[in-house]
Every structure is written in structure tokens, then in C-alpha cells.
Amino acid sequence: MNLKQNKKIFFILLLLPIIWSLCTKNPEGTSVESDYKNVSSLKFLYDLTYQEYGKSIKEQSILSAELDMIEKAEEFIVLDLFLYNDVYDKTQYQYPNTTQMITDALITKKKENPNIDIVFITDPINGFYGSYIEKNMDLMSKNDIIVVETNLDALKDSNPLYSGYYRFFIKPFGNSRKGWISNPLDKTAPKINIRSILKLANFKANHRKLIITEKEALIASANSHDASSYHSNVAVRFQSDVISYMLEGERAIAQQSNVILPKLEYKDTNYNNISNTQVKYITEKGIFQSLIKNIQQSQEGDTIYIGIFYITEFNLIKELENAANRGVSIYIVADPNKDAFGIQKDGSPNRSVLTQLHKKSENIHIRWYDTNGEQYHTKMSYFDFENQNIIVIGSSNYTRKNLKGYNLEADLEIITEKENDFAKEVDAYFQKIWNNENGDYTVSFETYQQNSFVKKILYYIQETTGLCTY
């Protein structure tokens, strides 16, 4: 074989994996937009950690709602939860046993009612991508709860510069549970291995946070995860026929992981629908379409409120700029990206992105949530239009990975009249944290303003290529 032929082979081996990765597609059942459905029960929930006269205050309602749903279920419970473990540095921090509380509640329910179907769907991150079996999931499996670890390889690749080579040269060798590297988050946790680290570098996830029973559902931004217990989050608990779409979506995820779920049927026994209010279940690209549609239809005199952990997606940012130039008032509360489970971050990507956006119009107003070790982990937009309010709430950050179908996400779009109690509660939530009512929630834009050219370029590269965790 001559040198020219060798070069051709090398060129093929170099490009073919990337091309293959670029051609990957998500399975059926993802990027869903359901029909609009009536809703018979709708409750806004939130967790907030903030300072009051120098003392840390924690208002929490989401976990108690989840435990209440588990207790009231009779026929089935489906949970799809991203982070679910107690792995963190316990020599420096102490958090509530959030994960164990849910595990104990599920096992107790199964023992009390052996005929109830309980399905627990999660992301491989909890066993560090195959290094070990997470102890809560092991315990659930031993108590006849169906545990599904999402097959991330079935999802579209968000990081093609790496994932193609992973699929070609690493994935075929499989993985083993023989870890020998100390877990970076907790030295007392099971050890991890190189193959798991290589799988992590694909940067994809089942990022959903939801619970469904035969009676109701809950969609949240909150992870049921010990080290996330004090994060500020939002959730919606509701009853609606749209829950049937949610069940089909979870069935699709289980099926791509080679698990066939039992028959699960939502039974709404509350027939008193809330007047002039409808909901739509949206996932992945469906969330993107909902946000873009609502931003584009905003006009002078309208107001958009956004509470967000990560915001980077190019099209979304541009549409917000366009809306502001039409006279729409935009208020954004964002996480300053400085805290991550005991690790100090450099403010990427939010500080660079929002500093650039802030310059575009005097109608764009930004404040940072005043985090102190925890995160402002909310993912919610509230569109205050002239004749109605629209709220988009759930698990999805506003990034390429979350909105373009690379990660699995779940949100609810709620359309309601302006005097609806739910809309009033959402409005009161934003007014409270924006204006620091009875507490210190947010700080001025200038506090974390960032004009670094290097970090701006880095953000563009990472958002375009997928070479990042957000």
C-alpha cells in the first residue's frame, strides 16, 4: 500500500465518524408538541433560597408535593428524574436526604400495595455512566420497582467532533463496573473508570424532572438529588388529559432502553375545568418552538419575564433582541454561574451572553440571583400579553442542547386569562424576587457584568460545537 492510499484511508477514518455523528437522529416520541387540553387542577410551586437580615432562608414546596403524589397514587407511579443520588463531599457540606426520602416513599408504597406499577426512569450519570449501580436504584430494583436507565446512545449527538469517534472506536468495547479512579464528587462513593469518563464526554442527558400518577402529574426544574436540595426551582402540579401524552413519551424512552412498560392510563376524576385555561405538553424542539412563537408574537406594551439557569441559544437571544426593539419590556433573572456543588465557576456562559444582550436595548432588564453556594436553577418564561398570559415551565434550560433535541426535556405551556390565580402567583413570584420583597433575592446587573472578549468567543465556540456541559 503506497503513501497516497494510506492518506486516503486516514482521511476516511478522520471524517467518517464525524459525518456519522452528524447524521444521528432522535427516536420517535421525542420533540413532542401535544394538543392543547383543558386543565382541571393547576398549582404553581417553587423553592427559594435567599437571605433575610443576613440569615439564610429556605422556602420549599416541591419535594413535599412529590411525596404527597406518591402517597396518594393507587394504580401507578412513573418518575423520570435526571439527578438522583447522594454523592457529594460530606466532609464539607450537609444536605437533606432528598433522594432517600423518595426511595423510601416508593418502596413503602410498593409494600403497601404490591399491585401498583412503579416505573423509575433516570439518566446514567447517577451510576457515573456504567461505573457502578447507584444504591437507591439497586434498592428499588430489589423491591420490584421497574428501573430504566436511559439509553443515551439512541439520542442525537450534540458533540459530533467527539461522539463519532466514541461510537466508532470506544463504544464497541463496552464498559465494566471495575472502577479504580476516585469519584471526583465524593471520595466515599464507588470508584469510576476511564470508559465511563469517555462516555460522559458525549455531553448528552435525559434531563427531565417529572412524576405522573393515574390522578395527576408534576413537571419541575428541580432535581430530586441531595446536593441540589437548596437550589431555587419551580414546578407545576396539575390534572389534565395532556398527561396521556406524557405517558406515551415515557413509554418511548423506556422502549429505546429495551424496556416495555405495563399498561398505564391516566384517569381524570376532576371534571371542573378551569375556565379559559389550557395546557400543552412540550418536549425538546417543541419547547424551542413554543418559546420562539411566543416571543415573536409579543408586541409593544407586552412584558416577558424569564427566570433561567442557563441561556445561550443563538436564535432565542436574537428573538429577545428583536422583541425589545419592538417595544416589548423584557425582565430576566439569571443564575450568575458561580456555584456548582462546591466548585467555583467563572460565570460562563450567562455573564458573557447576558452582558451582550443587555447592550442591545434599553427595554432589556437583567438581574442576577444572589446565590450563596446553591444555584438559581429555575427554567420558566412568563409572557404577560394584553389579553392573556402564557407560562412555559419545566426542565429545559435555554441552550442549544436543551432546545434543539439533543437532551431529553419536558415542559408545560399554560395559556390562561390575566385574572387566573395561577398567572397571579407566577407574576407575584417574579415581582418578589425582582424587587427583593421581604428578602434579598437578586442583585443588580452590574454586579456580574462581564465584558471579556475571550469568554465571549469561547461561548460562541462551545454553543456551536457542543463542546461543553451546558
Side-chain angles (χ1 to χ4, degrees):
M1 188 177 297
N2 59 39
L3 181 60
K4 189 174 182 180
Q5 288 176 318
N6 285 336
K7 286 183 177 180
K8 286 183 178 179
I9 293 172
F10 175 77
F11 190 68
I12 291 172
L13 290 176
L14 185 66
L15 288 184
L16 186 59
I18 297 176
I19 294 170
W20 184 16
S21 184
L22 288 168
C23 291
T24 55
K25 296 180 180 180
N26 274 347
E28 291 186 12
T30 58
S31 293
V32 167
E33 289 186 76
S34 76
D35 296 332
Y36 286 102
K37 294 290 184 179
N38 292 329
V39 58
S40 54
S41 174
L42 191 63
K43 185 172 180 58
F44 176 58
L45 305 166
Y46 63 81
D47 295 342
L48 282 175
T49 295
Y50 60 97
Q51 300 291 309
E52 185 179 28
Y53 302 115
K55 181 181 178 182
S56 180
I57 306 296
K58 298 171 179 63
E59 294 183 29
Q60 296 187 305
S61 61
I62 298 174
L63 176 60
S64 59
E66 293 171 336
L67 294 172
D68 184 60
M69 288 179 64
I70 293 170
E71 182 180 352
K72 291 179 177 177
E74 296 177 355
E75 296 183 14
F76 72 84
I77 307 169
V78 176
L79 308 95
D80 192 341
L81 303 174
F82 171 52
L83 287 179
Y84 194 81
N85 62 71
D86 64 354
V87 174
Y88 65 92
D89 188 349
K90 299 175 182 64
T91 64
Q92 294 192 49
Y93 308 98
Q94 192 61 51
Y95 298 108
N97 298 324
T98 299
T99 303
Q100 183 181 332
M101 282 190 275
I102 293 180
T103 299
D104 290 347
L106 293 171
I107 292 173
T108 298
K109 173 61 69 171
K110 187 67 177 178
K111 289 180 177 178
E112 291 174 349
N113 180 5
N115 294 322
I116 190 171
D117 291 312
I118 303 180
V119 179
F120 186 90
I121 301 172
T122 192
D123 188 88
I125 192 174
N126 297 295
F128 211 95
Y129 303 96
S131 287
Y132 55 89
I133 300 175
E134 201 281 330
K135 62 184 180 182
N136 287 277
M137 295 171 207
D138 186 40
L139 193 58
M140 285 191 283
S141 295
K142 291 175 179 176
N143 281 274
D144 298 322
I145 293 171
I146 301 171
V147 176
V148 181
E149 188 176 85
T150 306
N151 175 20
L152 299 181
D153 291 333
L155 302 180
K156 184 177 180 179
D157 292 339
S158 65
N159 181 13
L161 293 178
Y162 171 81
S163 293
Y165 297 104
Y166 173 83
R167 289 181 181 273
F168 256 74
F169 304 116
I170 301 171
K171 179 187 171 185
F173 293 97
N175 202 346
S176 71
R177 302 201 187 276
K178 296 180 179 179
W180 53 275
I181 303 170
S182 178
N183 194 306
L185 297 178
D186 183 357
K187 290 182 172 56
T188 66
K191 295 184 183 300
I192 62 176
N193 59 55
I194 289 292
R195 292 180 190 176
S196 295
I197 295 172
L198 293 172
K199 187 167 185 176
L200 176 153
N202 287 288
F203 300 139
K204 57 174 74 174
N206 176 358
H207 196 243
R208 294 181 181 180
K209 308 104 166 42
L210 58 83
I211 300 180
I212 312 168
T213 74
E214 80 282 353
K215 299 177 180 179
E216 57 185 332
L218 180 145
I219 294 176
S221 68
N223 288 306
S224 302
H225 166 239
D226 286 15
S228 300
S229 297
Y230 295 143
H231 291 354
S232 296
N233 281 291
V234 292
V236 55
R237 183 177 179 178
F238 61 99
Q239 293 175 295
S240 169
D241 286 340
V242 81
I243 293 172
S244 297
Y245 290 92
M246 296 175 66
L247 287 169
E248 288 307 306
E250 297 310 302
R251 187 177 297 279
I253 292 176
Q255 189 168 345
Q256 77 186 35
S257 304
N258 297 317
V259 177
I260 304 300
L261 298 186
K263 182 179 180 181
L264 306 169
E265 184 178 355
Y266 168 67
K267 299 176 181 178
D268 190 353
T269 57
N270 184 352
Y271 301 107
N272 298 315
N273 290 325
I274 301 171
S275 62
N276 300 316
T277 302
Q278 289 190 313
V279 298
K280 179 168 74 168
Y281 181 57
I282 47 179
T283 72
E284 295 84 54
K285 291 181 182 179
I287 303 169
F288 176 73
Q289 297 299 332
S290 171
L291 292 169
I292 294 296
K293 173 195 69 177
N294 286 304
I295 296 171
Q296 288 178 339
Q297 73 180 23
S298 63
Q299 300 297 325
E300 184 175 3
D302 293 336
T303 304
I304 300 174
Y305 298 91
I306 297 175
I308 196 66
F309 180 56
Y310 282 139
I311 178 167
T312 62
E313 206 282 321
F314 296 144
N315 295 289
L316 185 84
I317 298 294
K318 186 62 179 177
E319 290 300 337
L320 287 172
E321 177 187 340
N322 293 341
N325 290 332
R326 291 194 300 271
V328 178
S329 297
I330 298 172
Y331 294 85
I332 300 174
V333 176
D335 185 87
N337 297 162
K338 70 183 182 71
D339 298 299
F341 308 114
I343 300 171
Q344 289 294 307
K345 298 176 63 181
D346 67 353
S348 297
N350 281 359
R351 296 188 205 178
S352 291
V353 175
L354 293 178
T355 295
Q356 296 304 311
L357 181 61
H358 188 264
K359 297 175 182 177
K360 301 298 183 180
S361 171
E362 63 182 11
N363 290 323
I364 297 174
H365 313 277
I366 297 168
R367 289 183 69 83
W368 308 98
Y369 203 87
D370 189 14
T371 58
N372 292 275
E374 83 292 346
Q375 297 172 345
Y376 183 67
H377 200 251
T378 294
K379 303 97 166 52
M380 178 170 63
S381 289
Y382 165 48
F383 300 88
D384 188 2
F385 295 142
E386 182 179 0
N387 298 316
Q388 65 180 3
N389 293 141
I390 297 176
I391 298 99
V392 178
I393 181 172
S395 72
S396 181
N397 288 304
Y398 296 168
T399 74
R400 169 180 170 267
K401 282 194 178 82
N402 299 117
L403 296 176
K404 292 301 184 70
Y406 298 103
N407 286 353
L408 295 172
E409 303 289 350
D411 274 37
L412 196 70
E413 181 186 291
I414 302 154
I415 300 179
T416 187
E417 59 187 0
K418 294 180 74 67
E419 296 304 312
N420 174 271
D421 288 343
F422 187 89
K424 287 181 178 179
E425 290 174 3
V426 172
D427 185 79
Y429 165 89
F430 274 109
Q431 299 306 323
K432 177 166 72 170
I433 64 175
W434 187 271
N435 296 311
N436 288 323
E437 297 174 2
N438 302 315
D440 297 322
Y441 301 93
T442 58
V443 295
S444 68
F445 166 73
E446 289 75 17
T447 304
Y448 294 112
Q449 182 178 359
Q450 187 177 81
N451 288 296
S452 169
F453 178 76
V454 172
K455 289 181 180 178
K456 176 185 174 182
I457 295 301
L458 181 62
Y459 145 65
Y460 278 107
I461 293 172
Q462 289 179 321
E463 180 73 2
T464 301
T465 62
L467 290 167
C468 58
T469 57
Y470 57 79

